Amino acid sequence: MSARQAARSFRTVYGTACEDVWEAPGRVNLIGEYTDVNDGFVLPLALPHRTRVAARARRDGRLRLHSAAARGGVVELRVDRLAPGAVRGWAAYPAGVLWALREAGYDIAGADLHVESDVPVGAGLSSSAALEVATALALTELHGRAPDRPELARLARHAENAFVGVPCGAMDQTASACCVTGHALHLDTRSLAHRQVPFDPAGCGLVLLVVDTRVRHALGDGAYARRRAGCEAGARALGVRALRDVPHDQLDAALGALGDDAALRALVRHVVSENHRVAAVAALLDAGDVRAAGPLLTAGHASLRDDFAVSCPELDLVVAAALAAGALGARMTGAGFGGSALVLAEEAAAGEVERAVTGAFAAAGHRAPRVFAATPGDGARRSGQDGQQDGQQDVQQDGERNEQRN
Ligand code: ADP
Ligand code: MG
């Protein structure tokens, strides 16, 4: 999947050339799970996997949408009729972005978009944010007025919250818009302040594996709402705005104040200790001590499994098999009940870890997981290939662009 291919497919779908191609990555969260719904801290990185949007502006009030991954061909919408709830299915994501941009004062009369992506969908790797952010960058640059990255992320998130109707936090779109190669992104989900933290596993002989279990247990949705409500109840009981406001060194006192409500104590213990782990991992990465982050990832998994109770047998199996095969650390990542896990391992041990995980899945009768290495990549950008050049020129263009960026 390349930008040139996306441009070529655009021509096949619409019978005319696109103006250009834009792209945004999926993301994986290194540490900081369920902290975003408590105003807390997260540490995601951009994946090499990207969603590309080939686009052309229209002046006639129409929005046409096509995705290589969706059935049903081209979706055609009237821009002036876009409203929350008015569009169903995948098209709501890019249509919601156009709606959010117009709500924010961007004078966008319409567009033709073609989408191609290698971000796994529904695996907790944020294909939805990749689609929204790539669309937002495409539409704003097409119309000559791109906002800064945090604003791009805010608009993309607003589309998902208000138009699609998914109450996601700020992490996914911020990661997809703001990440930088060789770094993880430390994000305060209350203030939205973010900071690039150096993270280059390959540079220190390590590999960060993503293991997509390819399962998604149905009980996730109601459980998510219950956990959220539980966290809010915990904050109320402790007299703070959100659990992020409970300092880690006051955790024992806070747990004592919650009395004998064991379930509530467990939720609070997870959130407060997880925020502390985010700070600790960021400090280790700043110090260049990536290996030492391994046990913190594993501790995060134990907390999600035992206290927050959002893991599942497949995720626990990945973590157990990887650690038994010598991994430095492993944890579920994302909302849980399926989706993906992360494994930090020595590069020399990566093959053995992957074989152990795959073997454990086969022995348990599970479908084979999808395993790949996550190299921290760049956030959204113009792919810069209009499909008119041959491959050689494409490479040169990329090179020139990279030099300009550096
Ligand atoms: P995640 O973001 O973790 O992958 P979500 O449920 O938030 O999972 O978003 C997945 C949805 O986003 C898909 O069901 C689809 O509607 C939309 N989507 C994501 N990528 C694409 C794509 N390449 N083409 C069409 N729709 C997409
Ligand atoms: Mg999503």
Side-chain angles (χ1 to χ4, degrees):
M1 198 224 37
S2 66
R4 210 151 58 90
Q5 190 186 314
R8 218 183 287 129
S9 301
F10 182 99
R11 183 185 279 282
T12 306
V13 171
Y14 294 112
T16 176
C18 63
E19 290 180 52
D20 215 335
V21 181
W22 288 263
E23 63 186 60
R27 63 95 191 98
V28 68
N29 189 20
L30 185 58
I31 188 85
E33 226 59 77
Y34 284 96
T35 45
D36 61 339
V37 292
N38 291 284
D39 278 6
F41 301 89
V42 292
L43 196 60
L45 52 120
L47 292 172
H49 303 68
R50 325 213 121 225
T51 295
R52 292 197 164 89
V53 173
R56 181 176 192 86
R58 293 179 70 96
R59 312 274 166 227
D60 62 357
R62 292 191 187 269
L63 173 65
R64 294 197 294 175
L65 304 167
H66 183 267
S67 168
R71 288 181 201 185
V74 175
V75 177
E76 185 161 343
L77 301 164
R78 287 263 309 266
V79 168
D80 58 359
R81 297 217 182 127
L82 294 178
V87 182
R88 286 169 186 273
W90 79 272
Y93 292 84
V97 170
L98 200 158
W99 170 82
L101 289 169
R102 282 170 58 91
E103 290 277 306
Y106 288 80
D107 180 24
I108 300 177
D112 287 341
L113 306 181
H114 167 73
V115 180
E116 293 193 1
S117 178
D118 59 7
V119 182
V121 173
L125 303 175
S126 217
S127 68
S128 61
L131 175 55
E132 291 150 5
V133 171
T135 301
L137 190 62
L139 289 174
T140 52
E141 287 205 355
L142 267 183
H143 290 80
R145 194 186 145 200
D148 65 20
R149 292 318 168 92
E151 176 65 359
L152 195 73
R154 191 191 68 75
L155 290 162
R157 177 192 177 193
H158 185 54
E160 184 152 344
N161 289 166
F163 194 93
V164 185
V166 177
C168 60
M171 168 168 59
D172 298 355
Q173 291 81 7
T174 308
S176 188
C178 302
C179 277
V180 170
T181 296
H183 294 78
L185 184 95
H186 184 268
L187 174 67
D188 177 338
T189 66
R190 174 177 282 168
S191 70
L192 300 185
H194 71 266
R195 178 172 82 80
Q196 305 291 341
V197 181
F199 180 47
D200 176 20
C204 43
L206 301 176
V207 62
L208 185 69
L209 296 175
V210 174
V211 181
D212 173 8
T213 63
R214 299 164 86 189
V215 296
R216 184 156 186 82
H217 296 295
L219 91 150
D221 292 344
Y224 179 81
R226 279 199 299 283
R227 302 294 184 290
R228 251 187 114 137
C231 289
E232 284 162 16
R236 267 196 311 276
L238 294 168
V240 291
R241 179 170 152 200
L243 291 181
R244 167 262 176 75
D245 297 309
V246 179
H248 187 251
D249 61 7
Q250 287 169 32
L251 175 58
D252 286 342
L255 294 177
L258 290 174
D260 55 7
D261 187 340
L264 197 57
R265 288 160 51 99
L267 293 183
V268 170
R269 189 163 48 224
H270 167 70
V271 174
V272 176
S273 66
E274 184 80 347
N275 274 322
H276 188 62
R277 280 185 287 273
V278 173
V281 169
L284 288 169
L285 299 189
D286 279 328
D289 195 359
V290 181
R291 280 176 178 78
L296 291 167
L297 302 186
T298 306
H301 183 76
S303 180
L304 287 161
R305 182 191 59 209
D306 303 335
D307 276 347
F308 218 69
V310 289
S311 190
C312 66
E314 293 87 350
L315 288 167
D316 292 343
L317 189 59
V318 174
V319 170
L323 292 174
L328 298 166
R331 64 180 285 266
M332 57 160 275
T333 182
F337 303 109
S340 300
L342 275 178
V343 180
L344 183 68
E346 299 288 348
E347 214 155 39
E352 180 58 28
V353 166
E354 181 172 348
R355 273 190 297 281
V357 170
T358 308
F361 264 52
H366 302 320
R367 189 153 73 114
R370 175 170 29 198
V371 185
F372 60 87
T375 318
D378 257 335
R381 63 181 177 198
R382 185 190 278 252
S383 309
Q385 301 181 1
D386 61 13
Q388 305 301 308
Q389 300 107 350
D390 60 22
Q392 187 59 40
Q393 272 188 314
D394 288 343
V395 170
Q396 286 172 352
Q397 276 211 332
D398 265 349
E400 281 163 21
R401 219 162 246 111
N402 285 337
E403 276 162 31
Q404 284 165 9
R405 292 160 59 89
N406 290 340

